[in-house]
C-alpha cells in the first residue's frame, strides 16, 4: 500500500512538471510530438491507477452536442412527418439517425488530437440514444404544433363570439323623460349607471333587479347641472361624475360622495396658475393603468390631470393651442389603452395628443384639420390594439386614423348626422367594427346605431334603437352586450342568449316581487282635545308606533307560554313522544288517575249505588228475559276440593 502511494505522488509530480512545460512549448515539431506522446503515456498509466483505486469517473469530460444541427434535423423531420404518411415517417427517422451519427463522427474527427484521448469509456453518464432523441424531439415539435393549432382554434372561437353583433334580444330601461347623456358599466358588468339632462344619476344592479327593472338608487350630484359623462374606474370602486359645472366629483360605487375637485380663480388669466377649472366641464375619464389618476377638460381651454388623494390637487395642466397660438377649447378627451397618450379633440377641428411620459408642452401627434373648424368633435376612441383612433365629428363624419401614419385618415364615413356634443364612437372588442349613434334629421322617425367594418368602412349592420336620437353607446367586452341611450330617456340593452353572459340576461328571468300591502285608515278622525280620556279617540299612528304601544298593553301583548320541560309545571303536562301509548297515557290515563293509597275495593264500591240506580251495561240487556237477576250461590259439601296441578 505504501508503494502505491509513493508511486501516485511521483506521477502527480510528473504531471505538474509537464503542465508547467506546456506553457512554453518549443517551436520544434519533433519536440512537440514527443511531449504529446509522453503525455498520452502518462495519461494511460494514470488511467490504470485511477481505475484500480475506484475513482475512475473523476475529472472526465461530458459529451458535447451541436444543438443547432440537432434542432435543424428535428425541424426537418417534423416537416416531413406532417407531409408524409406513416411509412415515410419511419424512413425519415432512419435518415435522421444516420445524419446524427455522421455529425457526431465529423465532430469527433474535427476536435484534433484531444479527441483521441476522449474515448467512450471516459464519457460521464449513460450514452444518449440516437433514435429516441430524434423521435422525442420531433414528437415534441408535433405536440407543440398541435397545441398552437388548438390555441389558434380557441382564439378563432373568441373572435367568432364578437364577430356576430349581439342584438337578437333587447331590454328597455327607463331612466326618465329627458336625454340620457352619460352611461357607464363597471369592469365586471354587474352595475350600470345612467345620467341625463334631468340632472339625475341612477344606479342599476343587474344581479339584484327583476323584470320590473327598477333602479336601486337615484341622486342629484351636481344640483341643476346636466350630466356630461360618467365613468367607472379601472377597479370599479369609484365613479367619476362630470357635469355642466366646473368641479368634477368622485363617488363610490354605492353613490356616496368621496371628494370634489377645487374650483379655480376666474380672475387669473393664466389657467396654469389656478388650482382648478374656471368654466364648464366638457368631458373626463380615468387613467386605464393608474387607478388614482383622472383627466378633465373644460371650456377654459385646459386639460387637467388630477390625483385622487387627500388634498385632491391637480398634477398637470395641459393647454392646447390653435394654429395661430390662441387658446383652443377641448370638447372631448381620452387616454390611450396603455395610458401613455393623452388625446384631446378641440373646437377648432384639431386632434392633439401628448406623451404622458414627458412634459406636456409639445404635442407628439397633431392634426389641425381633422374636422371642420367651429364644430364639436364629440368623441375620441382608441382601438384595443392601440394602433388606431376613431373620431366622431360635429361635421357629420366618422374618421379612422392610424397612429403609425398620423397624417391622413385611413377611412372616412360621412352623412352621419350628429347634433350632440357627447355622441359616442367605439370599437368592438375584436376591433372589427366601429359603431356610433345617429341623430334624426327632418322627416326621419327611427334612430339608428350603425356598425361599420373597420377595414372597408362599409355599413355592416344597422340597429334600430327607437323613435328618437341615439346619443350614447357602448359594447362591453366581458358581457358582450351593446347598450344605447336615446333622447327620450330610454336605455336599451341588446344581447344574444348564446353569445352574451350575465348582465341583462339575469334580469329577464326573475319574476316581479310581490308588493307589500299597505294599511290604510278608513275611519273618520274626530279630534276632541278637551274630552275625557275614556271618550278621546287616539290619533292614527304609524305601524311602528302602534306596535310599540301594543307591546305595553298586557292584554294585547301577552307572552305565549314557554314549552314545558320535565313532568309538568303550572298545571300543564310535558309532551312525551308521539306514539299511541303515550297518547293514551296523556289523554286517558292521566285524566282519571287513581290514587295508589286508596283501597281498590272501596274505590269500586263507591260506584255501586250509582250502578244500581242507573244501570247501563248488563241490566238493560236482561230487563225483558230476566227482570230479576239470579246469582250463583256456592253450596258447601264435604268433598275435598279439586287437586290443583303444581306449576
Amino acid at each position: 500500500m505504501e508503494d502505491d502511494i509513493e508511486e501516485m505522488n511521483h506521477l502527480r509530480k510528473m504531471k505538474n512538471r509537464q503542465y508547467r512545460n506546456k506553457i512554453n512549448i518549443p517551436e520544434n515539431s519533433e519536440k512537440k510530438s514527443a511531449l504529446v506522446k509522453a503525455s498520452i503515456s502518462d495519461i494511460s498509466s494514470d488511467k490504470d491507477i485511477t481505475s484500480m483505486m475506484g475513482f475512475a469517473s473523476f475529472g472526465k469530460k461530458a459529451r458535447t452536442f451541436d444543438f443547432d444541427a440537432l434542432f435543424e434535423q428535428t425541424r426537418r423531420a417534423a416537416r416531413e412527418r406532417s407531409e408524409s404518411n406513416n411509412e415515410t415517417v419511419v424512413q425519415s427517422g432512419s435518415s435522421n439517425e444516420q445524419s446524427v451519427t455522421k455529425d457526431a463522427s465529423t465532430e469527433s474527427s474535427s476536435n484534433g488530437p484531444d479527441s483521441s484521448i476522449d474515448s467512450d469509456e471516459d464519457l460521464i453518464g449513460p450514452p444518449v440514444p440516437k433514435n429516441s432523441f430524434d423521435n422525442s424531439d420531433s414528437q415534441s415539435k408535433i405536440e407543440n404544433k398541435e397545441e398552437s393549432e388548438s390555441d389558434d382554434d380557441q382564439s378563432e372561437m373568441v373572435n367568432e363570439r364578437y364577430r356576430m353583433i349581439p342584438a337578437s334580444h333587447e331590454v328597455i330601461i327607463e331612466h326618465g323623460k329627458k336625454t340620457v347623456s352619460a352611461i357607464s358599466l363597471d369592469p365586471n358588468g354587474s352595475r350600470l349607471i345612467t345620467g341625463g339632462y334631468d340632472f339625475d344619476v341612477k344606479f342599476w344592479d343587474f344581479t339584484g333587479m327583476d323584470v320590473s327593472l327598477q333602479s336601486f338608487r337615484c341622486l342629484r350630484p351636481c344640483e341643476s347641472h346636466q350630466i356630461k359623462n360618467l365613468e367607472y374606474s379601472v377597479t370599479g370602486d369609484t365613479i367619476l361624475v362630470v357635469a355642466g359645472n366646473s368641479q368634477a366629483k368622485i363617488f363610490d360605487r354605492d353613490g356616496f360622495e368621496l371628494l370634489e375637485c377645487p374650483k379655480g380663480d376666474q380672475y387669473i388669466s393664466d389657467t396654469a396658475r389656478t388650482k382648478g377649472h374656471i368654466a364648464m366641464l366638457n368631458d373626463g375619464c380615468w387613467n386605464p393603468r393608474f387607478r388614482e389618476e383622472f383627466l378633465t377638460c373644460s371650456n377654459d381651454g385646459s386639460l387637467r390631470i388630477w390625483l385622487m388623494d387627500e388634498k385632491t390637487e391637480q398634477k398637470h395642466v395641459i393647454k392646447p393651442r390653435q394654429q395661430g397660438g390662441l387658446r383652443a377649447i377641448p370638447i372631448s378627451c381620452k387616454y390611450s389603452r396603455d395610458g401613455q397618450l393623452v388625446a384631446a379633440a378641440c373646437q377648432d377641428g384639431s386632434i392633439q395628443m401628448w406623451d404622458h411620459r414627458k412634459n406636456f408642452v409639445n404635442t407628439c401627434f397633431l392634426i389641425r384639420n381633422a374636422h371642420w373648424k367651429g364644430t364639436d368633435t364629440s368623441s375620441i376612441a382608441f382601438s384595443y390594439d392601440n394602433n388606431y383612433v376613431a373620431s366622431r365629428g360635429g361635421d357629420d363624419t366618422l374618421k379612422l386614423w392610424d397612429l403609425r401614419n398620423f397624417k391622413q385618415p385611413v377611412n372616412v364615413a360621412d352623412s352621419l348626422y350628429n347634433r350632440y356634443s357627447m355622441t359616442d364612437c367605439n370599437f368592438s372588442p375584436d376591433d372589427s367594427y366601429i359603431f356610433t349613434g345617429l341623430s334624426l334629421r327632418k322627416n326621419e322617425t327611427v334612430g339608428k346605431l350603425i356598425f361599420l367594418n373597420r377595414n372597408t368602412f362599409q355599413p355592416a349592420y344597422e340597429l334600430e334603437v327607437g323613435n328618437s336620437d341615439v346619443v350614447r353607446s357602448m359594447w362591453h367586452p366581458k358581457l358582450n352586450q351593446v347598450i344605447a341611450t336615446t333622447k327620450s330617456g330610454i336605455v336599451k340593452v341588446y344581447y344574444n342568449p348564446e353569445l352574451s353572459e350575465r348582465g341583462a340576461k339575469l334580469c329577464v328571468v326573475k319574476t316581479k316581487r310581490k308588493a307589500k300591502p299597505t294599511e290604510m285608515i278608513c275611519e273618520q278622525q274626530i279630534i276632541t282635545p278637551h274630552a275625557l280620556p275614556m271618550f278621546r279617540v287616539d290619533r292614527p299612528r304609524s305601524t311602528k308606533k302602534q306596535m310599540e304601544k301594543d307591546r305595553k298593553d298586557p292584554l294585547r301583548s301577552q307572552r305565549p307560554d314557554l314549552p314545558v320541560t320535565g313532568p309538568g309545571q303550572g298545571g300543564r303536562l310535558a309532551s312525551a313522544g308521539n306514539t299511541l301509548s303515550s297518547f293514551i297515557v296523556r289523554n286517558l290515563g292521566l285524566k282519571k288517575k287513581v290514587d295508589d293509597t286508596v283501597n281498590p275495593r272501596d274505590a269500586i264500591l263507591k260506584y255501586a249505588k250509582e250502578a244500581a240506580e242507573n244501570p247501563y251495561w248488563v241490566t238493560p240487556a236482561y230487563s225483558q228475559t230476566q227482570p230479576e237477576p239470579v246469582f250463583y250461590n256456592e253450596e258447601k259439601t264435604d268433598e275435598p276440593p279439586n287437586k290443583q296441578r303444581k306449576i
Side-chain angles (χ1 to χ4, degrees):
M1 188 66 183
E2 294 178 357
D3 297 338
D4 294 338
I5 294 173
E6 290 178 0
E7 187 174 359
M8 288 178 62
N9 292 331
H10 179 65
L11 289 173
R12 190 180 295 108
K13 291 179 181 179
M14 288 180 63
K15 288 177 70 177
N16 293 335
R17 192 180 299 112
Q18 290 173 3
Y19 177 75
R20 288 193 297 269
N21 293 333
K22 284 181 182 179
I23 299 174
N24 298 321
I25 297 175
E27 295 180 357
N28 192 359
S29 60
E30 295 179 356
K31 293 182 180 180
K32 189 183 297 183
S33 60
L35 276 172
V36 171
K37 291 179 181 179
S39 62
I40 292 172
S41 61
D42 293 338
I43 290 171
S44 60
S45 61
D46 192 6
K47 189 185 301 180
D48 297 337
I49 294 172
T50 53
S51 61
M52 179 183 66
M53 296 300 292
F55 49 89
S57 62
F58 294 168
K60 294 182 180 180
K61 297 180 180 179
R63 177 175 290 181
T64 58
F65 299 95
D66 188 0
F67 290 102
D68 295 334
L70 294 176
F71 289 155
E72 185 64 29
Q73 293 295 331
T74 53
R75 290 193 197 97
R76 193 180 300 112
R79 195 179 299 111
E80 291 174 359
R81 286 193 178 190
S82 61
E83 295 175 355
S84 61
N85 54 13
N86 294 331
E87 295 178 358
T88 55
V89 170
V90 176
Q91 294 176 2
S92 63
S94 61
S95 64
N96 290 334
E97 178 182 355
Q98 294 176 3
S99 61
V100 171
T101 54
K102 185 177 180 181
D103 293 337
S105 62
T106 54
E107 182 183 359
S108 60
S109 61
S110 62
N111 286 335
D114 294 335
S115 62
S116 61
I117 300 174
D118 300 331
S119 60
D120 293 339
E121 296 178 357
D122 295 336
L123 295 176
I124 299 175
V128 179
K130 300 173 184 178
N131 293 335
S132 63
F133 183 81
D134 290 341
N135 294 336
S136 62
D137 279 354
S138 61
Q139 188 69 20
S140 63
K141 288 289 182 181
I142 294 172
E143 291 177 357
N144 293 334
K145 186 176 181 180
E146 292 177 354
E147 291 178 359
S148 63
E149 291 178 355
S150 64
D151 293 340
D152 293 340
D153 295 340
Q154 188 174 2
S155 62
E156 282 291 330
M157 292 175 63
V158 173
N159 292 335
E160 189 67 25
R161 178 171 177 253
Y162 296 109
R163 281 174 187 168
M164 289 184 61
I165 298 172
S168 60
H169 295 69
E170 67 176 21
V171 172
I172 300 176
I173 298 175
E174 296 183 0
H175 171 84
K177 300 298 182 182
K178 294 186 178 181
T179 303
V180 182
S181 57
I183 56 170
S184 181
L185 265 171
D186 65 343
N188 294 328
S190 60
R191 285 192 176 182
L192 171 70
I193 51 175
T194 59
Y197 283 5
D198 56 356
F199 321 131
D200 292 336
V201 174
K202 293 188 177 182
F203 292 74
W204 316 81
D205 188 3
F206 286 126
T207 59
M209 284 193 303
D210 53 11
V211 183
S212 60
L213 299 175
Q214 299 294 326
S215 63
F216 72 91
R217 181 154 297 151
C218 179
L219 52 93
R220 186 166 292 184
C222 301
E223 297 179 354
S224 298
H225 293 282
Q226 297 174 352
I227 306 299
K228 294 295 187 71
N229 191 23
L230 298 170
E231 186 171 340
Y232 273 98
S233 62
V234 185
T235 55
D237 57 345
T238 52
I239 302 169
L240 173 64
V241 179
V242 178
N245 59 350
S246 60
Q247 296 173 274
K249 292 185 178 182
I250 305 294
F251 290 79
D252 62 1
R253 62 181 290 108
D254 292 326
F256 298 99
E257 184 176 342
L258 298 178
L259 57 92
E260 182 181 13
C261 296
K263 185 178 180 180
D265 190 350
Q266 56 185 351
Y267 297 103
I268 298 177
S269 59
D270 188 2
T271 56
R273 297 183 178 275
T274 59
K275 58 182 179 179
H277 289 291
I278 59 175
M280 179 184 69
L281 296 176
N282 291 325
D283 198 4
C285 61
W286 288 97
N287 191 325
R289 295 295 181 184
F290 185 48
R291 63 179 296 271
E292 300 290 335
E293 183 179 308
F294 61 96
L295 173 69
T296 57
C297 65
S298 171
N299 277 349
D300 60 2
S302 66
L303 292 93
R304 298 176 189 266
I305 298 177
W306 305 82
L307 285 179
M308 192 180 67
D309 51 7
E310 296 180 356
K311 298 181 181 179
T312 318
E313 295 181 350
Q314 59 190 14
K315 184 180 179 183
H316 298 287
V317 179
I318 306 172
K319 295 186 287 185
R321 297 293 181 184
Q322 299 183 16
Q323 191 169 6
L326 298 178
R327 178 187 302 174
I329 298 176
I331 302 300
S332 61
C333 58
K334 200 73 173 179
Y335 279 101
S336 61
R337 297 285 179 179
D338 54 2
Q340 296 181 2
L341 293 178
V342 177
C346 301
Q347 203 172 25
D348 63 342
S350 64
I351 297 177
Q352 305 181 26
M353 298 186 189
W354 295 267
D355 194 343
H356 194 280
R357 297 165 294 184
K358 301 178 182 179
N359 53 7
F360 299 95
V361 177
N362 299 320
T363 58
C364 60
F365 296 101
L366 176 61
I367 292 292
R368 286 295 178 187
N369 298 320
H371 295 277
W372 288 356
K373 186 176 182 180
T375 59
D376 294 340
T377 304
S378 58
S379 177
I380 299 178
F382 285 84
S383 62
Y384 283 87
D385 58 5
N386 221 28
N387 293 327
Y388 295 92
V389 177
S391 61
R392 182 72 163 97
D395 53 358
D396 303 342
T397 60
L398 175 64
K399 296 184 179 181
L400 180 66
W401 310 85
D402 191 349
L403 291 176
R404 296 163 292 188
N405 187 13
F406 199 67
K407 294 181 179 180
Q408 296 294 330
V410 179
N411 289 310
V412 179
D414 53 3
S415 300
L416 303 177
Y417 186 56
N418 178 22
R419 64 171 66 182
Y420 292 94
S421 61
M422 66 279 298
T423 303
D424 273 333
C425 68
N426 286 297
F427 287 83
S428 63
D430 60 346
D431 287 338
S432 59
Y433 299 107
I434 301 175
F435 58 96
T436 183
L438 301 181
S439 301
L440 295 182
R441 297 178 182 270
K442 189 176 181 180
N443 298 328
E444 289 183 352
T445 57
V446 179
K448 296 179 180 180
L449 187 66
I450 184 170
F451 292 81
L452 303 176
N453 194 325
R454 192 196 71 175
N455 297 326
T456 62
F457 250 48
Q458 296 297 323
Y461 188 76
E462 289 185 358
L463 187 61
E464 296 182 357
V465 178
N467 55 358
S468 60
D469 304 331
V470 179
V471 183
R472 289 282 189 173
S473 59
M474 65 179 300
W475 189 336
H476 197 274
K478 193 169 184 179
L479 300 182
N480 195 21
Q481 297 179 7
V482 179
I483 303 175
T485 68
T486 62
K487 177 186 175 182
S488 59
I490 293 176
V491 181
K492 287 193 175 183
V493 183
Y494 295 91
Y495 68 95
N496 190 318
E498 297 179 357
L499 302 178
S500 303
E501 297 179 359
R502 302 192 304 275
K505 291 173 60 178
L506 301 176
C507 303
V508 296
V509 298
K510 294 182 180 179
T511 58
K512 188 176 180 180
R513 300 171 184 171
K514 294 182 179 180
K516 187 178 180 180
T518 57
E519 298 180 357
M520 298 180 63
I521 301 175
C522 299
E523 61 181 6
Q524 187 178 2
Q525 180 69 25
I526 300 174
I527 301 175
T528 55
H530 302 291
L532 296 175
M534 60 185 302
F535 300 107
R536 188 180 303 166
V537 179
D538 294 335
R539 294 183 181 180
R541 301 183 181 182
S542 63
T543 307
K544 183 178 178 181
K545 292 184 178 180
Q546 186 65 31
M547 290 177 63
E548 292 178 354
K549 182 180 179 182
D550 293 343
R551 181 62 63 187
K552 298 178 181 179
D553 190 354
L555 298 178
R556 293 185 177 182
S557 178
Q558 183 180 3
R559 187 184 70 174
D561 294 334
L562 298 176
V564 179
T565 57
Q569 59 184 8
R572 295 183 299 141
L573 298 176
S575 59
N578 296 323
T579 60
L580 178 61
S581 60
S582 62
F583 175 78
I584 294 173
V585 171
R586 189 166 57 249
N587 292 278
L588 299 178
L590 297 180
K591 288 181 180 179
K592 298 180 180 181
K593 187 176 180 180
V594 179
D595 193 1
D596 296 337
T597 59
V598 179
N599 189 1
R601 185 173 180 276
D602 297 338
I604 294 173
L605 290 177
K606 71 179 181 179
Y607 298 103
K609 183 179 180 181
E610 183 179 358
E613 294 176 355
N614 299 318
Y616 183 77
W617 297 105
V618 181
T619 303
Y622 295 96
S623 61
Q624 295 180 0
T625 58
Q626 192 177 355
E628 294 181 2
V630 178
F631 297 100
Y632 174 74
N633 294 324
E634 184 179 358
E635 297 179 359
K636 295 181 180 180
T637 59
D638 297 336
E639 296 179 0
N642 296 330
K643 186 177 181 181
Q644 295 181 354
R645 188 172 60 180
K646 187 176 182 181
I647 299 174

